[in-house]
Amino acid sequence: MTADLTAAVTEVFEEHRPVLDGVAYRMLGRVADAEDVVQEAWLRWSAADHAQVREPRGYLVRITTRLAIDRLRQAQSRRESYVGSWLPEPLVTDLDPAAVTAQQQDGADRVVLSESVSLAMLVVLESLSPLERAVFVLREAFGFPYAEIAETLERSEAAVRQLAGRARRHVAERRPRFEVDPKLRRDLTERFLKAAVEGDVQGLVSVLAPDVRMVSDSADGAKAPRRVILGSGKVSRFLAAVGPQGAQDPAFGFRLLELNGGPAALVTYDGRPDVVFSVDVADGVIQTVYLIRNPGKLAHLDDSGE
């Protein structure tokens, strides 16, 4: 392959990389797995007979989706033996317009893209079969036509429509109806973090729904509740007990950033990621608190430079 051809092949791949990254992450819920899949897609693309490829985007999405389905099938068996709750790996998000397909340029469709990468949605997608998840991601998040999805999955269009219908019904039954007002979510996230750091039980209760759920994901010796904590009283008491410990230690730091399409709180220790808190909001209060303390899921948030 000549230098000019190599550059052209690379340029085409990079043009479509945001969509490939988006599909892979929504399929797998882990940044490292998504990166591995996209890298494998690049290797296959670089070795392809490009003269035979009429639609590079469709070709690349097909490769990426099929690789993600294979990876997801392997991952699901591991997740069945996971100790405690399994949560997706938090993703730093900045919805690049390049990741938005031609069908998704208006504000409403950008909201759909943001919702499709939320922790709440990714948790629901975990309960779909790999094929259902692929159809849902390609159709609902990225707006691919049924005929193109059918070609990607090597299924008939009728079969793909059936898969899409089952996936939509399943998601509709399980998806919480959370608000997406970014200002409200940020305000509640800031108040939540402040109250937790100060050990302010009443401040926590004021921002939590009475039936709030706190779901934790930890591993490799990191301490966090293995079971879901239910109710504002129990959640607030737990957070108020552990929050001030970190606040009094100068090695701990706290900052807000955007993860999975919404504001989240990152707690660091000696500059390294220690805990991520993300919340879902409805009716003006926090309905779900996600606590992620699995070191393997936070490593990519490390900007300490070490």
Side-chain angles (χ1 to χ4, degrees), residues 3 15 52 56 122-123 130 137 142 151 157 183-184 202 247 269:
E15 176 187 351
Q52 302 299 316
L122 292 172
V123 168
V137 167
F142 290 93
E151 184 178 359
E157 187 172 337
K183 292 183 179 179
L184 177 60
Q202 289 306 313
Y269 188 79

Side-chain angles (χ1 to χ4, degrees), residues 9-46 55-69 91 96 98-101 113 117 137-138 142 144 148 152:
V9 168
T10 302
E11 182 179 357
V12 170
F13 186 85
E14 292 301 321
E15 176 187 351
H16 299 294
R17 181 188 285 273
V19 173
L20 306 183
D21 288 338
V23 169
Y25 176 75
R26 286 166 176 80
M27 282 289 297
L28 297 166
R30 288 210 61 171
V31 174
D33 287 347
E35 289 175 345
D36 287 348
V37 161
V38 173
Q39 178 61 23
E40 178 62 26
W42 157 248
L43 294 175
R44 297 194 182 191
W45 168 249
S46 62
E55 295 288 344
R57 188 191 72 147
Y59 180 88
L60 289 167
V61 169
R62 283 196 295 277
I63 293 174
T64 301
T65 302
R66 291 171 184 175
L67 290 169
I69 288 173
L91 176 71
D96 188 333
V100 183
T101 63
L113 266 177
V117 81
V137 167
L138 294 175
F142 290 93
F144 283 93
E148 194 168 341
T152 295

Side-chain angles (χ1 to χ4, degrees), residues 33-204:
D33 287 347
E35 289 175 345
D36 287 348
V37 161
V38 173
Q39 178 61 23
E40 178 62 26
W42 157 248
L43 294 175
R44 297 194 182 191
W45 168 249
S46 62
D49 181 356
H50 302 98
Q52 302 299 316
V53 179
R54 291 179 298 175
E55 295 288 344
R57 188 191 72 147
Y59 180 88
L60 289 167
V61 169
R62 283 196 295 277
I63 293 174
T64 301
T65 302
R66 291 171 184 175
L67 290 169
I69 288 173
D70 291 342
R71 179 67 67 98
L72 183 59
R73 285 170 173 158
Q74 298 168 11
Q76 284 185 330
S77 62
R78 297 196 301 270
R79 291 173 192 175
E80 289 173 359
S81 59
Y82 199 83
V83 178
S85 301
W86 186 94
L87 289 174
E89 186 173 322
L91 176 71
V92 178
T93 49
D94 179 10
L95 291 180
D96 188 333
V100 183
T101 63
Q103 298 96 329
Q104 296 175 311
Q105 293 295 334
D106 62 26
D109 286 321
R110 290 177 66 80
V111 168
V112 171
L113 266 177
S114 179
E115 182 185 7
S116 73
V117 81
S118 70
L119 290 179
M121 175 60 78
L122 292 172
V123 168
V124 173
L125 293 185
E126 279 294 304
S127 60
L128 298 179
S129 72
L131 285 178
E132 288 172 340
R133 186 165 182 166
V135 172
F136 187 88
V137 167
L138 294 175
R139 180 64 183 174
E140 302 300 323
F142 290 93
F144 283 93
Y146 286 115
E148 194 168 341
I149 298 173
E151 184 178 359
T152 295
L153 301 181
E154 298 181 314
R155 298 290 193 278
S156 69
E157 187 172 337
V160 165
R161 288 180 180 274
Q162 288 183 339
L163 285 167
R166 286 204 302 268
R168 278 196 296 267
R169 288 192 296 272
H170 186 88
V171 170
E173 290 170 357
R174 299 192 177 205
R175 177 173 56 190
R177 298 299 180 183
F178 294 127
E179 296 169 3
V180 294
D181 181 345
K183 292 183 179 179
L184 177 60
R185 284 187 65 186
R186 185 176 182 86
D187 175 64
L188 286 172
T189 300
E190 291 176 343
R191 290 166 58 192
F192 166 83
L193 181 61
K194 181 176 185 295
V197 167
E198 295 176 353
D200 180 2
V201 173
Q202 289 306 313
L204 285 165

Side-chain angles (χ1 to χ4, degrees), residues 261-299:
L266 173 64
V267 180
T268 60
Y269 188 79
D270 282 337
R272 299 289 184 83
D274 186 68
V275 184
V276 160
F277 288 100
S278 180
V279 302
D280 284 321
V281 174
D283 302 322
V285 289
I286 295 171
Q287 303 288 338
T288 306
V289 177
Y290 299 105
L291 186 162
I292 303 175
R293 207 182 184 195
N294 181 332
K297 295 183 179 181
L298 302 181

